[in-house]
Amino acid sequence: MSQLTGKTALVTGASRGIGRAIALSLARAGAQVLVHYGNAEEAADAVVAEIRAAGGKAQKVAANLRDADGPHQLAKRVRAIVGDRLDILVANAGVSKSAPIEATSVEDFNQLFAVNVRAPYFLVQQLLPTMCKGSSIVLLSSLAVRTAVGAISAYAASKGAVDTLVKHFAAALGPRGIRVNAVAPGVVATDMSSFTKTEAGRETALGMQAFKRIAQPDDIAEAVAFLASDAARWVTGDTLRIDGGSRL
Ligand SMILES: NC(=O)c1ccc[n+]([C@@H]2O[C@H](COP(=O)([O-])OP(=O)(O)OC[C@H]3O[C@@H](n4cnc5c(N)ncnc54)[C@H](OP(=O)(O)O)[C@@H]3O)[C@@H](O)[C@H]2O)c1
């Protein structure tokens, strides 16, 4: 397990799913974790309580990342808690929409890009003053960038933009000693991939993978904790596939 004692971390979308597992994993490694949520306040409270019960430090922080000024509001709240030092930013909050090209509306498209691309972009911008040599930023990409799975073209494009940002952010922030990477999960058992709860959906997911089981959020979280830690000090500008060998 990576050691993050004394580090401060913000995990967006930490009320549920992959973000929840990342928050718990970073806390287990010793970080103080800000558990961001949008609507699911009770779920965020439960994550904070679980971290505190295990002897860790955590606090919830709210913001709607669909709003244009959501990232700015969140950054302000984060700075009010951690002051001028944030070591780890995991921009995990995301939305997906499964729809054929013909059925994708402008509103769907705008929402996907607002939450999945604009929010991480401006969160990084707004939190940069708190980041310094050794800080690590991790964004959430997807298997859908590399291969055409499902009817999720607009979602996949938003995650493609994330991969592009990783490279440009890493190049721009490397001289300051700030690393920027992404993880690209395959299908993970969360609310977002509810299709895995049907037999047909499960078969499809298993059929893509070398490992014949559906990933759990913890399978992703440990890799994020690695990227956030000094063990990954020479890794930047990369998207790490964590997909159980999907579509090899
Ligand atoms: N599940 C998969 O198979 C999979 C695969 C590849 C990549 N990913 C990526 O992994 C990340 C996490 O996905 P997940 O499966 O854990 O999703 P999830 O279970 O649906 O959880 C999404 C999280 O994002 C937050 N969120 C969504 N919209 C928001 C908004 N407008 N403002 C603030 N917070 C918002 C939610 O907060 P509240 O509930 O508090 O509102 C929740 O905590 C996403 O970026 C997703 O694209 C997932």
Side-chain angles (χ1 to χ4, degrees):
M1 173 58 72
S2 355
Q3 279 312 307
L4 300 176
T5 304
K7 307 270 190 196
T8 52
L10 167 66
V11 182
T12 68
S15 49
R16 299 185 280 123
I18 296 170
R20 175 182 178 277
I22 293 170
L24 294 172
S25 178
L26 298 182
R28 272 198 303 275
Q32 172 190 352
V33 181
L34 303 191
V35 175
H36 162 263
Y37 66 97
N39 290 316
E41 183 170 14
E42 276 183 27
D45 282 334
V47 177
V48 168
E50 190 170 340
I51 291 172
R52 289 182 181 165
K57 280 194 199 160
Q59 208 161 322
K60 69 181 173 187
V61 56
N64 186 347
L65 296 177
R66 190 183 175 178
D67 295 343
D69 70 342
H72 305 69
Q73 296 297 330
L74 178 55
K76 207 188 284 178
R77 287 167 197 151
V78 168
R79 293 176 74 166
I81 298 168
V82 301
D84 59 2
R85 179 152 185 167
L86 184 71
D87 300 292
I88 299 161
L89 165 59
V90 183
N92 159 84
V95 287
S96 70
K97 172 89 184 181
S98 178
I101 298 166
E102 296 86 342
T104 298
S105 67
V106 170
E107 197 194 350
D108 293 338
F109 192 95
N110 284 344
Q111 179 174 347
L112 287 163
F113 274 76
V115 179
N116 296 354
V117 187
R118 187 179 68 196
Y121 189 100
F122 286 99
L123 201 51
V124 168
Q125 179 198 74
Q126 294 298 307
L127 285 171
L128 264 185
T130 67
M131 306 195 95
C132 55
K133 192 168 186 294
S135 292
S136 172
I137 298 169
V138 183
L139 308 183
L140 265 286
S141 178
S142 170
L143 167 68
V145 175
R146 186 172 61 82
T147 182
V149 286
I152 49 173
S153 54
Y155 169 80
S158 75
K159 293 299 181 178
V162 165
D163 279 4
T164 301
L165 287 182
V166 162
K167 291 185 176 53
H168 286 263
F169 282 170
L173 304 181
R176 300 195 214 175
I178 301 171
R179 295 182 299 105
V180 187
N181 294 288
V183 292
V187 178
V188 185
T190 67
D191 296 340
M192 185 178 281
S193 52
S194 53
F195 69 93
T196 56
K197 294 184 177 81
T198 68
E199 197 50 43
R202 208 180 133 72
E203 286 295 307
T204 306
L206 292 180
M208 291 193 300
Q209 295 173 192
F211 293 143
K212 296 301 173 195
R213 72 167 171 83
I214 305 287
Q216 296 301 312
D218 269 345
D219 293 321
I220 314 305
E222 300 296 329
V224 173
F226 161 71
L227 286 175
S229 78
D230 199 44
R233 61 190 167 277
W234 206 240
V235 184
T236 196
D238 205 6
T239 295
L240 176 62
R241 284 176 38 219
I242 317 177
D243 58 16
S246 291
R247 288 281 172 93
L248 295 174

